[in-house]
C-alpha cells in the first residue's frame, strides 16, 4: 500500500505573492527615531567596551523599546507569514563597523548567529566578487547572477542592505508551503519524489567523515509540520559525484515543477531592498531569490549587503536527517557550516 500524502498546509505560512504584496503595510515595519537611537547607543557601547562583533550577545545589546517588537517579529517569522522587513537604519551615515555591530546586535534578539562558510564568518558579505557559479566551489551570492529560489542552511536568514545595485538585484520570496499545496493539487503523483532524500552538493565545504553532499528530502514531514531545504543548482551539481544517488526522470520532473511554481508570479513577489532595510526570512517555510543585477563601476557604490544566519531557541523541531547539514537539530544550536579549522569571526570586508 502507498502511504497517504501529507495533507495540504493551512495557515498564514501558505500565502500567495500578489496578495502579500498588496498587504505590505503588515510586513514593512518602519523603525522609529527612538528605535534607531537605542540601536546606535547599544552598538556604540558594545564597540567602546571592545566586544568582538562576532561575540556580541543579547545582554550586551539592550533594546528596551525595539526588543519587544523584535520578539513579536520572531513569532511571526516562526509561526506566521515567515518574513519581516524593518526599514530605516541610517547606514549611509554610519561606518561599516557600526552598521555591522548594529546588525549583529539586532540579530541576537532573534537567534544565535551561525557560521556561513568554512571560514567561520558569522557576518556574511553579499557582494559580486567577479566569480561564476559554474565553478562547483563557488556559492552564487559571490556573483552577480540570479540566485534562483533556494533556502539557506539555517532557521532564519537576515540581510542588511548597505548599498543597492545600479539596476536589479531585487529580493524575491515565495511560500514553499504554497508550492507544496499546488503540487498536491496538480500533480500528487510527483510529490513522493520530493518526500524522499535527494543529494545536494556541499560545494567543497566538507568536514572529515562527511560525503561531499548531503541527502535530505525537499519536503520533510516532522511533528505535524512540513519543512523545506532546496537549492536546485546544488542538487544538479551533486550528480558529479559517482556515489550520489542518481536523479530519476520522475524526480527531475518533480523538481522542474517545483521550480516552475516558485518562478510563477501568481505565487511569488519581489521587493526592492533600500539601504538601511533589514529583511528576515524563515527558511523552513519560504524560499528566497535575488534577481541578477548590473553594478556600479565605482567600488564605493557597489551593491553590498550584510547577512546573518540565525538559530532561534524557540524554532520548530526538525527531522533527524537535517543533522547532515545543520550539524545538530537542537534549536538554538543548529545550522551553519563548521569545519575543523573554522574559527568564528565577523569580517568587515568581503573576503
Amino acid at each position: 500500500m502507498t502511504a497517504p500524502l501529507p495533507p495540504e498546509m493551512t495557515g498564514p505560512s501558505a500565502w500567495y505573492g500578489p496578495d502579500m504584496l498588496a498587504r505590505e503595510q503588515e510586513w514593512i515595519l518602519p523603525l522609529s527615531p527612538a528605535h534607531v537611537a537605542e540601536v546606535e547607543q547599544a552598538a556604540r557601547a558594545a564597540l567602546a567596551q571592545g566586544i568582538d562583533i562576532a561575540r556580541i550577545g543579547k545582554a550586551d545589546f539592550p533594546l528596551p523599546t525595539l526588543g519587544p517588537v523584535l520578539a513579536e517579529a520572531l513569532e511571526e517569522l516562526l509561526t506566521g507569514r515567515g518574513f519581516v522587513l524593518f526599514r530605516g537604519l541610517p547606514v549611509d551615515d554610519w561606518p561599516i563597523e557600526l552598521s555591522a555591530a548594529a546588525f549583529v546586535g539586532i540579530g541576537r534578539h532573534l537567534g544565535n548567529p551561525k557560521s556561513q562558510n568554512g571560514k567561520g564568518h558569522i557576518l556574511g558579505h553579499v557582494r559580486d566578487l567577479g566569480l561564476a557559479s559554474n565553478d562547483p566551489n563557488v556559492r552564487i551570492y559571490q556573483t552577480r547572477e540570479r540566485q534562483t529560489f533556494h533556502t539557506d542552511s539555517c532557521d532564519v536568514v537576515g540581510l542588511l542592505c548597505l548599498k543597492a545595485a545600479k539596476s536589479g538585484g531585487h529580493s524575491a520570496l515565495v511560500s514553499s508551503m504554497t508550492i507544496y499545496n499546488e503540487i498536491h493539487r496538480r500533480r500528487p503523483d510527483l510529490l513522493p519524489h520530493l518526500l524522499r532524500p535527494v543529494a545536494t552538493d556541499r560545494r567543497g565545504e566538507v568536514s572529515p567523515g562527511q560525503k561531499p553532499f548531503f541527502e535530505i528530502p525537499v519536503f520533510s514531514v516532522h511533528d505535524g509540520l512540513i519543512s523545506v531545504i532546496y537549492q536546485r543548482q546544488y542538487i544538479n551539481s551533486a550528480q558529479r559525484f559517482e556515489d550520489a544517488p542518481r536523479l530519476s526522470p520522475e524526480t527531475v520532473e518533480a523538481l522542474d515543477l517545483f521550480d516552475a511554481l516558485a518562478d510563477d508570479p501568481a505565487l511569488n513577489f519581489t521587493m526592492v531592498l533600500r539601504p538601511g532595510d533589514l529583511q528576515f526570512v524563515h527558511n523552513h517555510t519560504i524560499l528566497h531569490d535575488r534577481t541578477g543585477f548590473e553594478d556600479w563601476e565605482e567600488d564605493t557604490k557597489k551593491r553590498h549587503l550584510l547577512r546573518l544566519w540565525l538559530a532561534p531557541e524557540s524554532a520548530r523541531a526538525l527531522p533527524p536527517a537535517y543533522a547532515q547539514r545543520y550539524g545538530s537539530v537542537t534549536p538554538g544550536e543548529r545550522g551553519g557550516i563548521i569545519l575543523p579549522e573554522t574559527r568564528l569571526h565577523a569580517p568587515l570586508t568581503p573576503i
Side-chain angles (χ1 to χ4, degrees), residues 92-235:
D92 286 339
D93 301 325
W94 288 356
I96 181 66
E97 186 179 38
L98 185 60
S99 294
F103 187 35
V104 171
I106 289 171
R108 285 305 301 258
H109 283 258
L110 300 175
N112 298 320
K114 308 301 293 183
S115 174
Q116 298 172 39
N117 53 33
K119 300 174 182 177
H121 295 176
I122 69 107
L123 186 68
H125 291 261
V126 181
R127 205 163 187 241
D128 176 27
L129 299 182
L131 305 175
S133 64
N134 57 9
D135 181 336
N137 293 318
V138 166
R139 288 165 61 188
I140 299 172
Y141 73 86
Q142 299 169 314
T143 76
R144 66 176 62 185
E145 303 168 24
R146 180 196 166 185
Q147 286 193 307
T148 75
F149 284 101
H150 66 283
T151 60
D152 288 347
S153 297
C154 59
D155 296 308
V156 171
V157 57
L159 292 172
L160 169 60
C161 181
L162 299 178
K163 301 285 185 181
K166 184 176 183 180
S167 64
H170 302 322
S171 174
L173 302 179
V174 67
S175 165
S176 51
M177 301 300 97
T178 299
I179 292 174
Y180 176 85
N181 291 347
E182 289 291 335
I183 298 175
H184 199 289
R185 296 165 193 167
R186 302 183 191 196
R187 291 294 305 275
D189 59 303
L190 293 179
L191 263 184
H193 301 281
L194 301 176
L195 289 160
R196 298 169 187 151
V198 62
T200 300
D201 196 346
R202 295 184 188 273
R203 304 293 274 193
E205 294 179 313
V206 185
S207 289
Q210 287 183 333
K211 294 180 180 180
F213 55 87
F214 57 86
E215 297 176 71
I216 303 175
V218 174
F219 293 117
S220 292
V221 184
H222 185 73
D223 202 25
L225 298 172
I226 293 176
S227 297
V228 170
I229 189 165
Y230 190 75
Q231 172 54 279
R232 180 65 184 275
Q233 290 101 321
Y234 299 174
I235 291 174

